[in-house]
Amino acid sequence: IFGPNSCGKTHLSNIFKEYNKSTILSSLRSNDLELIKKGESFIIDDFVPSMNYPSELVMHFLNQVTYNEGSVLFLSRYSAFEMDWNLDDLNSRIRSLLACEIKLPDDMLLYTFMIKYSNDKQLMLNDNQCLYILERLERNFESVINFINQLDLITLETKKKVSYKIIQHVFDTLYKN
C-alpha cells in the first residue's frame, strides 16, 4: 500500500495485523530472518531503500517469507516504480507485487471523517463550522485529527461550546508563524 502521509495506510495495516496476527517491522536486521516461520505474516512500515532496509536483506527476507508460505504487507509513501533497490532482481520482484495507491481524501470524505471524529469527542460541530474548518485545513486526516484534538482541549479547558471565535483561536494556536 502506498500513498502520502496521513492517507490511511496505518489504519489499514492495523486491520491486516488483527486479521493475520502480523508482526510489524520498521527495519530489517539479519536476525529477523530467524523470525520467519511457516505461514508467518509481516507488515513492513516506511518501506523505502535505506539503511533500515538493505537491498540484499530485503531480497533474503522476501525469499524466506515466500518459501515459508507467509505474507508481507508493505507500507510506503512511494510506489514500487519510484524506488531503486540497486538489485535488478529485487526491483523486478517488488514491482511485480500487487500494489494499491491511497490518495489524499476528497472533501466529502474529510467532512464525514470530521463529523465522526468530532462527535466521538462530543464536540457536535454544525455543517457551517465543519465547512469553515475544512476550507482552511490541509487535505489529510492528520490535520483534521490535530485540529479537532486541539478544539476539544480548548473547549474542555474553557468549558465553552464550540464557536467561531474558539475555532479561530485554534487556527491561530496551531498555525502561528
Side-chain angles (χ1 to χ4, degrees):
I1 299 174
F2 69 97
N5 289 338
S6 303
C7 69
K9 297 182 301 283
T10 301
H11 176 72
L12 290 174
S13 72
N14 287 331
I15 295 168
F16 182 86
K17 178 185 178 206
E18 197 66 30
Y19 184 76
N20 294 292
K21 309 290 187 255
S22 303
T23 302
I24 298 175
L25 299 173
S26 55
S27 65
L28 279 179
R29 293 183 260 335
S30 56
N31 63 346
D32 290 332
L33 297 177
E34 298 166 11
L35 294 173
I36 303 170
K37 299 178 179 104
K38 186 137 182 95
E40 184 78 21
S41 176
F42 295 91
I43 297 170
I44 306 292
D45 195 15
D46 199 19
F47 186 64
V48 292
S50 65
M51 291 181 67
N52 286 337
Y53 300 110
S55 297
E56 278 120 21
L57 193 54
V58 170
M59 187 67 167
H60 291 302
F61 181 81
L62 279 174
N63 287 338
Q64 282 286 97
V65 170
T66 302
Y67 177 78
N68 286 291
E69 300 174 2
S71 62
V72 181
L73 174 63
F74 295 104
L75 305 176
S76 182
R77 288 169 288 151
Y78 307 102
S79 80
F81 293 94
E82 294 176 284
M83 296 184 225
D84 184 6
W85 292 91
N86 294 320
L87 290 175
D88 289 340
D89 288 346
L90 183 57
N91 281 331
S92 174
R93 188 143 183 214
I94 290 173
R95 290 173 183 164
S96 72
L97 297 173
L98 181 61
C100 179
E101 179 180 14
I102 300 177
K103 297 181 181 182
L104 289 175
D106 63 12
D107 288 345
M108 186 54 135
L109 181 57
L110 271 181
Y111 174 83
T112 304
F113 178 76
M114 179 181 285
I115 293 292
K116 165 83 171 88
Y117 194 71
S118 63
N119 286 351
D120 289 348
K121 300 269 187 190
Q122 299 178 349
L123 286 174
M124 308 311 166
L125 299 171
N126 67 41
D127 286 341
N128 289 333
Q129 289 169 329
C130 286
L131 294 172
Y132 180 83
I133 294 166
L134 283 176
E135 288 174 358
R136 290 155 178 79
L137 282 181
E138 289 182 42
R139 295 288 179 253
N140 61 54
F141 294 116
E142 184 177 30
S143 293
V144 172
I145 290 168
N146 289 340
F147 188 89
I148 296 299
N149 286 344
Q150 187 67 28
L151 185 61
D152 184 44
L153 183 68
I154 289 173
T155 56
L156 288 173
E157 285 175 354
T158 62
K159 296 181 175 139
K160 293 183 178 178
K161 290 184 178 185
V162 176
S163 66
Y164 284 102
K165 184 176 181 179
I166 292 174
I167 290 171
Q168 189 56 52
H169 177 72
V170 172
F171 275 115
D172 293 343
T173 303
L174 286 176
Y175 301 108
K176 62 182 171 188
N177 291 332

